[in-house]
Structure formats: structure tokens, C-alpha cells
């Protein structure tokens, strides 16, 4: 089975071709990602209008490149998948409309994929992880702990009540004048800083649920920075290290609870899987390993390029859905909001 995948929900314009063999194994034939980071950098975050325009300008070329690297024609495809949400609606419209046009012109099935479902299923492409497993999705837009029971069968065990975890890293970087995107820059500073110097809160820890909150941590960090301004290089490094240590402690506590809830509601997980850009952080990976070890399961961490936004994951989720006959009509609407636990096994029964 050969699927073309298209991803345009945020600031990456991406296209990929993925194959799925009858035994369920996946293979990436091409995976092209064009990042718009430089176009948004001066604004310190993604500007939706700029993103949508950039997707329009680049997408046809990126698809052509993905097809030629995979050395196949549109005729050879078994389906065309695009992220139909959640995300910045202008960009989602660009990707989904393009997928519809290709599907219509070449008479191929359309697969309107939930971007979060694609993150959730990536471990099956890279590691053939069996259901059920516990997913920690940690990106610039999402922070969730999910029970993945099957394709289209997700149980939300915890999530953020305010900022996403990556957003907290980005805001910390912005506050300290480090640049965008902030995660890797904060991690680099933290490596040479003293994580014990500033006393920062660990929001939500100790509660019985598996939810997150980062806005209080962000405010506490700002107050500490204001107290000692102007900041020396050492101050910046110590603030980053203290912030990252607080985030790591929060992740440890919340994931322990998430896994406890998983056991209660689903059973024994086959793995703890991480996804999203924040999963690239070494300190966070270390604590994920530890938590997985504690409960006697393994950590499945896809390579960073497949943790961050890409189209191979969209194509793969499309393949998993096509195998089950879950194709979508050409009039399916793009969605800015689309919670993963509302992804039905069949789109025909899902609320639209
Ligand atoms: O998954 P992703 O590429 O895009 C979406 O947000 O969907 O994640 C990007 C986020 C940004 O907030 C970025 O700062 C964060 O992931 N990030 C990191 C690291 N690398 C990327 N956060 C912490 N440490 C990192 N090394
Ligand atoms: Zn994403």
C-alpha cells in the first residue's frame, strides 16, 4: 500500500510517501519537510497568515519532490492523506484542498487525518508498537497523556489546562532574550546552569489526576528574573536550568499518574511512547526512561525528525485508516479544533 501524506497544520510544509506491507510494517520512501522558522522568527512565534501564504507557495513543489524521491507516479498511489486539523485553519485548508484535488484527479481515496492521531500512531511506523500503549504528546501546541487502544480509539488521561509544554519553553526563551524556537536554546543554556539556584513551583504535582499547568511556572520565572535584572550570562543559564528542572519534575509526577490511570482504565501498556518536539529534550527523555522503567514497560522514542511535525506520520496514519476502510468524502471540512478522543473509528459517524 502506497500513501502520499501532506502536513500543513502549523509552520512546516511537508509531504511524504510511505508504504505499508501486508504484515503491518511501514517504510518511508520520501519525507520532505520545509520549515518556515525563518519567516516567523522576528515575531517570536507562528503568524497564521504568513504560514498559510507560505504553504500555498511551497506545497506543490514539496509534493513533487516527495513523489520524485519516492520514484512513483500519482497513478501508483493507493490513497492521499492530509492533516485535516487541528491546527491553524488557513494552513489546514491549503493541505486538505490540495489532497482533495489529487484524490479527485486520480480517482484515489481521500484520508482526512487528525494531526494528533498521526503523532499517536508514529510509534507503529518506526517500532511496530502493539496496542495498547500510553502516549506522552509534548509539542508547542499540545501536552497530553493518552491511552492509545487502537486506530480511532483514544482515551485522554491528562492534558494541560493552560499553556502547552513547548510553549512554556518558547516563552521562557523569549523572556530571557534567547530567540525562537525556544526549546533547544533553553536546553543548551540549562546544560551549563545551576538548576537548584532558583526555587520555582512544580504546578499540579501531588494531585490525583494527570493534568498539567505551566502558566504559574512562567510567572514565577519572570518574577525571579525581574528581581535580579539586569541578567548576566550565568543568571540566564541558571534560570534556564531551574526552569527545565521544574518541568522535568512536573513531567515525572504527572506521567506516573497518567500510567496509573492507564492501568486502572485500560490495563497493562505495551510501551510508553513519546511524540512532539519537546521529546527531543535530553533531560525530558531521561525522565521518561525512568518512569517507563518504574512501571516495567519500555520507552519508545521515535527519532527526533519523526517526533516533530512531518508528513510521513500523516501518510502512515492514512495507511492505518485505509486498511480499515476508513476513507473520507471529498466534501469533508477542515477543523481548527479536533480533540483526539473525538476521532471516531469511522468518520461517517463522527460529528462534523
Ligand atoms: O512538535 P513540534 O515540532 O511542533 C508543534 O508544536 O506541533 O514542537 C515544537 C515545540 C516548540 O515549542 C519547541 O520549543 C519545542 O517543541 N522543542 C523543545 C526542544 N526542541 C523543540 N523543547 C524543549 N527542548 C528541546 N530540545
Ligand atoms: Zn504536531
Amino acid at each position: 500500500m502506497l500513501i502520499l501524506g501532506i502536513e500543513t497544520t502549523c509552520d512546516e510544509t511537508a509531504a511524504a510517501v510511505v508504504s505499508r506491507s501486508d504484515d503491518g510494517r511501514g517504510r518511508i520512501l520520501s519525507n520532505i519537510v520545509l520549515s518556515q522558522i525563518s519567516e516567523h522568527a522576528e515575531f517570536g512565534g507562528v503568524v497564521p497568515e504568513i504560514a498559510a501564504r507560505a504553504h500555498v507557495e511551497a506545497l506543490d513543489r514539496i509534493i513533487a519532490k516527495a513523489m520524485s524521491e519516492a520514484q512513483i507516479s500519482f497513478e501508483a498511489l493507493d490513497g492521499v492523506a492530509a492533516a485535516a486539523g487541528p491546527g491553524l485553519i488557513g494552513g489546514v485548508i491549503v493541505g486538505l484542498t490540495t489532497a482533495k484535488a489529487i484524490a479527485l484527479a486520480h480517482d484515489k481515496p481521500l484520508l482526512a487525518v487528525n494531526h494528533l492521531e498521526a503523532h499517536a500512531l508514529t510509534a507503529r511506523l518506526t517500532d511496530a508498537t502493539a496496542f495498547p500503549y500510553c502516549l506522552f504528546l509534548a509539542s508547542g501546541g499540545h501536552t497530553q497523556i493518552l491511552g492509545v487502544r487502537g486506530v480511532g480509539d483514544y482515551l485522554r488521561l491528562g492534558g494541560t489546562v493552560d499553556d502547552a509544554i513547548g510553549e512554556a519553553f518558547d516563552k521562557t526563551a523569549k523572556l530571557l532574550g534567547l530567540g525562537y524556537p525556544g526549546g533547544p536554546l533553553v536546553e543548551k543554556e540549562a546544560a551549563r546552569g545551576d538548576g537548584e539556584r532558583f526555587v520555582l513551583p512544580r504546578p499540579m504535582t501531588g494531585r490525583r489526576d494527570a493534568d498539567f499547568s505551566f502558566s504559574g511556572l512562567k510567572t514565577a520565572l519572570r518574577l525571579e528574573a525581574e528581581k535580579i535584572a539586569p541578567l548576566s550570562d550565568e543568571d540566564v543559564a541558571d534560570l534556564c536550568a531551574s526552569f527545565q528542572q521544574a518541568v522535568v519534575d512536573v513531567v515525572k509526577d504527572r506521567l506516573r499518574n497518567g500510567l496509573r490511570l492507564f492501568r486502572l482504565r485500560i490495563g497493562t501498556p505495551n510501551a510508553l511512547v513519546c511524540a512532539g518536539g519537546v521529546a527531543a529534550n535530553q533531560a525530558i527523555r531521561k525522565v521518561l526512561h525512568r518512569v517507563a522503567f518504574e512501571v516495567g514497560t519500555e520507552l519508545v522514542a521515535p527519532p527526533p525528525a519523526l517526533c516533530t511535525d512531518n508528513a510521513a506520520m500523516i501518510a502512515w496514519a492514512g495507511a492505518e485508516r485505509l486498511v480499515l476502510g476508513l476513507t473520507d468524502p471529498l466534501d469533508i471540512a477542515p477543523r481548527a479544533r479536533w480533540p483526539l478522543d473525538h476521532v471516531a473509528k469511522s468518520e461517517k459517524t463522527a460529528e462534523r
Side-chain angles (χ1 to χ4, degrees), residues 16-344:
V17 178
V18 163
S19 74
R20 183 188 184 281
S21 52
D22 291 341
D23 63 1
R25 291 274 163 175
R27 198 157 73 87
I28 298 173
L29 303 186
S30 63
N31 188 18
I32 314 292
V33 182
L34 176 71
S35 170
Q36 304 174 359
I37 281 179
S38 60
E39 286 167 71
H40 300 284
E42 67 173 293
F43 305 100
V46 178
V47 184
E49 273 305 311
I50 294 176
R53 222 173 282 254
H55 287 308
V56 171
E57 279 164 17
L59 186 56
D60 287 358
R61 178 164 49 86
I62 297 297
I63 292 173
K65 202 164 166 199
M67 296 299 290
S68 81
E69 262 192 29
Q71 297 187 314
I72 61 159
S73 65
F74 287 127
E75 294 314 321
L77 291 171
D78 294 291
V80 184
L88 302 173
I89 197 67
V92 179
I93 291 171
V94 174
L96 184 59
T97 308
T98 304
K100 286 177 179 178
I102 297 170
L104 180 65
H106 298 277
D107 197 19
K108 304 289 176 187
L110 173 73
L111 302 136
V113 168
N114 179 300
H115 175 93
L116 303 175
E117 176 168 47
H119 275 303
L121 297 176
T122 300
R124 293 169 56 74
L125 166 64
T126 56
D127 294 78
T129 306
F131 299 124
Y133 53 84
C134 185
L135 176 79
F136 178 48
L137 175 58
S139 72
H142 305 279
T143 308
Q144 294 184 3
I145 301 175
L146 289 154
V148 182
R149 293 183 289 208
V151 175
D153 190 5
Y154 309 97
L155 182 66
R156 193 170 184 277
L157 299 167
T160 182
V161 297
D162 43 52
D163 293 349
I165 185 168
E167 203 179 345
F169 273 94
D170 293 336
K171 286 180 176 170
T172 295
K174 197 171 180 178
L175 175 79
L176 301 175
L178 294 176
Y180 174 84
L185 302 166
V186 170
E187 181 176 15
K188 195 161 157 240
E189 290 293 320
R192 61 181 186 89
D194 173 7
E196 310 277 301
R197 177 168 159 205
F198 298 97
V199 181
L200 297 172
R202 269 70 173 155
M204 311 294 262
T205 55
R207 289 168 44 128
R208 289 189 64 76
D209 58 32
D211 289 333
F212 296 83
S213 166
F214 292 104
S215 68
L217 177 56
K218 177 186 67 190
T219 307
L221 184 90
R222 182 171 52 76
L223 294 176
E224 291 295 335
E226 281 170 5
K227 262 191 238 164
I228 55 163
L231 303 176
S232 67
D233 285 354
E234 196 186 336
D235 293 335
V236 170
D238 292 348
L239 282 163
C240 286
S242 301
F243 165 81
Q244 186 171 281
Q245 190 52 51
V247 173
V248 163
D249 288 348
V250 166
V251 168
K252 188 183 356 169
D253 180 88
R254 306 287 72 205
L255 261 182
R256 278 181 178 150
N257 259 10
L259 284 159
R260 186 178 57 77
L261 295 174
F262 190 103
R263 270 184 196 286
L264 278 175
R265 300 196 195 159
I266 300 171
T268 305
N270 279 316
L272 171 63
V273 172
C274 61
V278 180
N281 185 294
Q282 291 305 320
I284 289 177
R285 276 204 179 202
K286 212 164 128 195
V287 80
L288 295 182
H289 263 294
R290 184 159 153 204
V291 174
F293 180 76
E294 277 172 12
V295 298
T297 194
E298 62 160 337
L299 176 71
V300 173
L306 295 175
C307 277
T308 56
D309 288 350
N310 66 87
M313 69 176 189
I314 305 295
W316 175 253
E320 294 244 55
R321 294 183 72 80
L322 183 56
V323 171
L324 300 175
L326 303 175
T327 61
D328 294 286
L330 286 177
D331 66 350
I332 191 161
R335 302 181 196 188
R337 289 182 51 80
W338 190 4
L340 190 48
D341 47 359
H342 291 188
V343 173

